[in-house]
Amino acid sequence: MKKRYIVLSFIFVAILILPKYFSLQVRENLEQYIAEINKINGYNVELVDLNDGWFSSNGTLKVNIAFAEMGANSDLPWAQGNPEFLVDLTSHHGPVIFTDGFDIGLVNLALVYKGDALKTKLNWSENVNFYELTIGQGLLGGFDMEDRIVSFSVTEDTDNQNVVFSGYQGEGEQSSGGFSYEGEMDSFQFTSDEGKFEIKGFDISMDSEGELFAAMQGEIFESSAELSLDKLNILTVGDSEQSVELDELSFSVESDINEKEQFMDITQNLKINSISAMDYDVTDIQLDIETNRLSLVFLKAYQEFAKSLSGMNELEMKQQSMSFVTNNLLPLLQSEPQLNISKLSATLPEGELSGFSNNQLVGIEALPDATADPKFWINHTVSETELEMDKGVANIIFTRYVTSQLQQHPQTAEMSQEEIDLIAAQQVPNMIEGLKLQGFLVEKDDKLLMQFSLKDGNAILNDNAIPLPY
């Protein structure tokens, strides 16, 4: 019986004493996280005040965003000035956390932006915060999080502008295996006298090995991310009506690290079920891009360099970037990087288009005296490209190219669109036949093919060697 009382006494003391210890950790952790966030260009976070309590603490953060430091075009209306937000924070300290009920953990942190300053423009439900983020840290060090943006609407008399936003919800988790996050938005719609912009069914997900705040400090981890849209509609109304409708888009990025050879591979995949632009439909679009063998030495050096850009103007950024590339280019080239379009395909009303292009720099151990020397790059490039299209697809591609050239030519400035289209229709068949005679295109089974390879400074086009000017 006495042992039972001793155990209960320890539990009781832990529940009473540990919360104060954890409250001291809250301030230390906040200051650490703020320091890391402030290293990111364009962001500045300041802890205005923090009232340390025994079982809970509260305070205020000031968040300032400088769009110019992010490289945003200063001519854009939303990039004017440096908007500032006051964010309320509340933390509840463990090991037993009392909020709506009770939970077990180290800390439960809530960040809230009430959005009072936005209520002159935006409309949303009373007594609801504009943005909320909650982070719960477990006893073993991991944490889970949830964030939310309230659904709102905007109505402006000028140009009859209206915005309807369904709201956004997300949740994430940090464990020993890494960090994961998922978020979703049902819809966003902007309408005015000038047209409409609408998104439906937006989802985002990401997974990363390692620790989130270590990534913020510049460490590189293997990761994956995916973004998807059910629909995207754009309509512009003016002298002529133009519209774009997109159905079922997915875009994913995945990175893999080769620790032994110290390089990273990045794969990007884009798929679109269909796009309709001005009643012209393109379906089954797929674009897969691989950027392989990227030097980790170069990437880590670039991350450190990027931190130094904070506060520079656009000209200074360009000058420093050129200097960085010149001084750090060799490690990137020595890893023999690849840029591959591993798959390109689409179905047009006139037929199908498909192809690939694999490209790699090899055998570079030192930079040339003149980095602009084209012969150096040709001799160190290995390339293989294939393109196949139905004749109808080739005809529409070349027709649009010729039409755009004619529209920019001074001699056709007075011509109508119908006259330009007629000239293009007359020129394109001869252009395609000329390319076939010159060996740039090959006709096979009612399709046009192009195959190109480059290795050891020797170029082959459709099985024929072609002389290079260098």
Side-chain angles (χ1 to χ4, degrees):
M1 181 67 70
K2 188 177 293 184
K3 290 182 178 179
R4 183 184 302 174
Y5 282 128
I6 293 173
V7 172
L8 290 174
S9 297
F10 273 118
I11 293 175
F12 184 69
V13 169
I15 293 175
L16 287 180
I17 301 301
L18 286 178
K20 184 56 181 176
Y21 170 76
F22 294 146
S23 74
L24 299 176
Q25 299 300 306
V26 169
R27 177 181 291 272
E28 181 180 333
N29 290 340
L30 277 173
E31 291 174 348
Q32 176 187 348
Y33 300 152
I34 289 171
E36 293 305 321
I37 292 173
N38 288 342
K39 293 178 183 178
I40 304 173
N41 286 344
Y43 291 93
N44 182 269
V45 180
E46 177 186 345
L47 181 60
V48 177
D49 61 74
L50 181 63
N51 303 311
D52 298 319
W54 197 284
F55 294 99
S56 65
S57 302
N58 60 79
T60 306
L61 296 173
K62 182 163 65 174
V63 181
N64 184 278
I65 302 176
F67 289 110
E69 292 184 15
M70 298 179 183
N73 188 338
S74 59
D75 294 332
L76 297 174
W78 55 267
Q80 299 294 327
N82 299 332
E84 190 173 273
F85 309 96
L86 292 178
V87 178
D88 298 327
L89 69 90
T90 304
S91 67
H92 297 272
H93 317 134
V96 179
I97 298 173
F98 298 94
T99 49
D100 295 335
F102 74 90
D103 199 359
I104 303 297
L106 296 182
V107 175
N108 184 286
L109 178 66
L111 300 175
V112 172
Y113 175 58
K114 295 179 180 179
D116 292 339
L118 300 177
K119 288 186 175 180
T120 58
K121 294 288 185 181
L122 310 184
N123 306 310
W124 70 84
S125 301
E126 292 291 334
N127 302 319
V128 178
N129 299 314
F130 183 79
Y131 176 76
E132 295 179 356
L133 168 64
T134 59
I135 302 174
Q137 187 173 5
L139 292 175
L140 299 180
F143 68 82
D144 54 56
M145 59 171 289
E146 294 183 4
D147 63 338
R148 180 185 67 83
I149 302 175
V150 71
S151 59
F152 62 81
S153 63
V154 183
T155 301
E156 289 280 356
D157 294 335
T158 306
D159 297 326
N160 292 321
Q161 295 181 353
N162 294 278
V163 172
V164 179
F165 175 61
S166 67
Y168 173 87
Q169 304 82 36
E171 58 182 28
E173 179 183 13
Q174 175 72 63
S175 65
S176 58
F179 177 74
S180 61
Y181 179 84
E182 294 183 353
E184 62 179 14
M185 177 190 73
D186 288 337
S187 63
F188 174 87
Q189 184 182 83
F190 170 80
T191 58
S192 73
D193 291 341
E194 297 178 351
K196 178 177 74 172
F197 175 82
E198 181 180 32
I199 293 175
K200 290 185 177 180
F202 171 86
D203 290 278
I204 185 171
S205 64
M206 60 184 72
D207 290 279
S208 175
E209 293 187 357
E211 204 258 335
L212 174 62
F213 292 104
M216 292 175 61
Q217 294 171 13
E219 291 192 40
I220 299 174
F221 301 105
E222 292 189 343
S223 63
S224 63
E226 183 172 358
L227 176 152
S228 64
L229 286 176
D230 287 342
K231 289 185 179 295
L232 170 65
N233 298 323
I234 302 173
L235 172 66
T236 60
V237 179
D239 296 334
S240 62
E241 182 177 302
Q242 297 183 359
S243 64
V244 176
E245 297 181 4
L246 179 151
D247 286 333
E248 297 182 23
L249 175 149
S250 67
F251 176 72
S252 63
V253 180
E254 183 174 351
S255 63
D256 295 300
I257 294 175
N258 185 319
E259 293 288 356
K260 182 179 180 180
E261 298 192 50
Q262 285 291 287
F263 61 69
M264 173 183 281
D265 296 339
I266 301 175
T267 303
Q268 303 175 69
N269 304 107
L270 173 67
K271 292 183 180 180
I272 301 175
N273 182 54
S274 67
I275 293 180
S276 178
M278 301 303 294
D279 298 323
Y280 186 84
D281 300 327
V282 181
T283 61
D284 301 323
I285 302 168
Q286 183 167 350
L287 175 62
D288 298 339
I289 299 177
E290 300 172 359
T291 311
N292 297 332
R293 302 183 63 89
L294 291 174
S295 165
L296 285 178
V297 174
F298 177 87
L299 293 176
K300 291 176 180 179
Y302 179 78
Q303 286 190 327
E304 290 302 314
F305 162 73
K307 296 175 184 178
S308 69
L309 297 178
S310 179
M312 293 185 184
N313 59 41
E314 187 175 349
L315 178 59
E316 289 174 327
M317 285 185 182
K318 289 181 178 179
Q319 292 173 340
Q320 292 298 318
S321 297
M322 289 297 296
S323 176
F324 169 82
V325 170
T326 301
N327 296 330
N328 295 273
L329 184 59
L330 187 57
L332 176 65
L333 301 178
Q334 287 176 326
S335 68
E336 299 192 335
Q338 300 173 348
L339 177 58
N340 304 327
I341 300 176
S342 53
K343 184 170 185 179
L344 168 64
S345 63
T347 301
L348 286 69
E350 294 81 9
E352 296 181 349
L353 165 74
S354 64
F356 70 86
S357 180
N358 298 328
N359 309 277
Q360 184 176 16
L361 291 170
V362 298
I364 298 178
E365 296 299 331
L367 292 175
D369 294 334
T371 55
D373 179 11
K375 185 176 181 179
F376 173 85
W377 301 107
I378 288 173
N379 289 335
H380 289 282
T381 298
V382 175
S383 179
E384 183 180 10
T385 300
E386 290 190 10
L387 182 63
E388 177 181 295
M389 68 186 88
D390 289 324
K391 292 176 69 175
V393 174
N395 186 73
I396 192 67
I397 290 175
F398 283 112
T399 296
R400 298 202 171 189
Y401 169 76
V402 172
T403 299
S404 66
Q405 294 298 306
L406 290 172
Q407 289 172 335
Q408 299 173 29
H409 201 284
Q411 293 182 357
T412 61
E414 303 299 324
M415 290 186 180
S416 65
Q417 186 60 49
E418 289 77 11
E419 292 173 315
I420 291 176
D421 291 342
L422 180 61
I423 295 174
Q426 294 170 343
Q427 290 184 356
V428 167
N430 294 330
M431 177 183 292
I432 293 176
E433 287 301 317
L435 292 173
K436 287 163 59 177
L437 290 173
Q438 296 174 59
F440 289 101
L441 294 174
V442 174
E443 184 173 347
K444 182 180 180 181
D445 299 330
D446 207 34
K447 294 181 181 291
L448 293 177
L449 312 175
M450 189 275 286
Q451 297 176 324
F452 174 81
S453 65
L454 176 64
K455 187 176 182 180
D456 299 328
N458 299 312
I460 305 295
L461 179 63
N462 296 326
D463 296 328
N464 297 313
I466 59 174
L468 298 175
Y470 306 103

